[in-house]
């Protein structure tokens, strides 16, 4: 795991030291797309957790009725 972490750090460092791309508009669009994807994943995870808890709550209530 530590070797993987060092490899990722080296890749990030190499990318940071590389010459910038001439047109950065495509890069910006990709970054926004990645941010939107991460937000979507977080929303799906949160909704799934809430749904599971609500299902358990409704089953408990229906069991007492």
């Amino acid at each position: 795991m530590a070797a993987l972490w060092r490899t990722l750090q080296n890749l990030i460092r190499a990318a940071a030291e590389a010459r910038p791309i001439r047109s950065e508009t495509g890069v910006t669009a990709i970054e926004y797309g990645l941010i939107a994807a991460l937000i979507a994943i977080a929303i799906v995870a949160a909704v799934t957790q809430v749904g599971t808890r609500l299902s358990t709550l409704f089953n408990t209530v229906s069991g007492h009725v």
Side-chain angles (χ1 to χ4, degrees), residues 42-57:
I43 290 171
V44 168
V47 168
T48 301
Q49 283 292 333
V50 170
T52 303
R53 290 182 183 175
L54 279 176
S55 177
T56 304
L57 176 67

Side-chain angles (χ1 to χ4, degrees), residues 1-9:
M1 188 64 145
L4 176 63
W5 182 251
R6 275 186 255 117
T7 302
L8 287 174
Q9 286 177 331

Side-chain angles (χ1 to χ4, degrees), residues 28-43:
T28 304
I30 292 171
E31 291 170 353
Y32 284 137
L34 290 173
I35 291 170
L38 289 174
I39 291 171
I41 290 170
I43 290 171

